[in-house]
Structure formats: structure tokens, C-alpha cells
Amino acid sequence: PVMGKRGLYIILFFIFVSTVLAIQKERVEKRYSAHIDPDGIQRVNIKAGSYYFDPNYIVVKVNTPVELNIVKESGIIPHNFVLEINGTHIKEEIKKEGTKISFTPMQIGKFEFYCDKKLPFLPSHRDEGMWGIIEVVK
């Protein structure tokens, strides 16, 4: 044969990488403004999918408890949720059955959340578009 298995694997790898890079380019903002439930908690349901969070722009009120319920879509690719807020570093694995993250935002501003997973030789999930903003307002 002209090309051995190794050469074929290398070609397939580069085709896969170029396909992944082409898919990642379009990122649509999906905005959600949280409402305060009767118990005083702002609850937000987030879907974590193939290199996206939905919603990926979340508006919450300052000094009011927030509960994020993040559910991973089916598939084998692992994802996590990373957020730096109130001087606290939050990093949780996202499970198919859901991951709850609770905090009370103490200052107004915009805070980025993202997935920091990464396979060798490929862009990180964050670079692929798996990130968002929590905007804390009065």
C-alpha cells in the first residue's frame, strides 16, 4: 500500500481537528434574566452541551441568592463549570443528572464562567465557545 495505517490516522486526525475548528466559529448569545422566586432565590437552569452553555448570558440581582442548575447533554465529552465571584473560585464537574451551584453575588459587575476541559493538541472547550457571562445588577 502507498499509505500505511499511521499515515491514514494522521490524515483523519487533521480532518477531525479542522472540522472542530470550523464548527466553533459561530457563537450566539442566549440571554436570560433571572426572576426571584417566592423563597427569595434566583434559580437558573443551564444546559451544558457540545461546546456551549445555554443560556450563556445571565443577569441576576446583587445580594440575592442564586442557584444554578447545570445539566449536561448526553454524550461522552466531560464538561465542568468554572466561575470566579465574590473572591471565591468555583469549579464543579457537570453531571447528566445535574449539578447545583449556589452563591450570593455581593458586587455589581460582569463575571465570566466557562468550561476549562481540554484534550491534547486541541483548543480548550472555553476556546471552542463554552463560556458565558453572569452580569450582576442592582
Side-chain angles (χ1 to χ4, degrees):
V2 174
M3 181 187 318
K5 281 186 179 180
R6 180 182 161 126
L8 179 61
Y9 289 140
I10 290 170
I11 290 171
L12 289 174
F13 174 77
F14 282 108
I15 290 171
F16 170 76
V17 169
S18 61
T19 303
V20 167
L21 292 175
I23 291 171
Q24 67 141 9
K25 298 302 177 202
E26 188 166 334
R27 183 175 183 281
V28 177
E29 182 181 292
K30 296 180 182 179
R31 184 179 284 257
Y32 179 79
S33 292
H35 303 284
I36 302 172
D37 287 346
D39 63 0
I41 298 173
Q42 304 174 88
R43 289 185 175 83
V44 181
N45 293 317
I46 302 172
K47 182 177 180 182
S50 297
Y51 311 115
Y52 70 87
F53 286 109
D54 183 5
N56 58 15
Y57 196 102
I58 301 162
V59 180
V60 297
K61 298 227 183 276
V62 70
N63 298 321
T64 305
V66 173
E67 183 181 280
L68 306 177
N69 183 36
I70 309 164
V71 177
K72 180 182 171 297
E73 76 174 1
S74 62
I76 60 169
I77 299 172
H79 295 297
N80 64 12
F81 182 88
V82 180
L83 171 67
E84 188 91 29
I85 194 163
N86 300 331
T88 303
H89 183 75
I90 298 169
K91 183 174 180 177
E92 294 285 337
E93 294 299 314
I94 302 171
K95 303 176 202 94
K96 286 182 187 173
E97 60 274 7
T99 300
K100 282 195 188 332
I101 296 172
S102 299
F103 61 92
T104 301
M106 305 303 282
Q107 65 189 60
I108 293 169
K110 293 181 182 181
F111 304 89
E112 186 178 19
F113 62 89
Y114 56 92
C115 174
D116 73 355
K117 297 288 185 179
K118 180 182 183 332
L119 288 173
F121 311 110
L122 292 176
S124 70
H125 293 191
R126 181 184 195 175
D127 292 338
E128 293 286 354
M130 197 166 186
W131 60 275
I133 298 290
I134 293 179
E135 182 177 3
V136 183
V137 298
K138 268 191 172 181

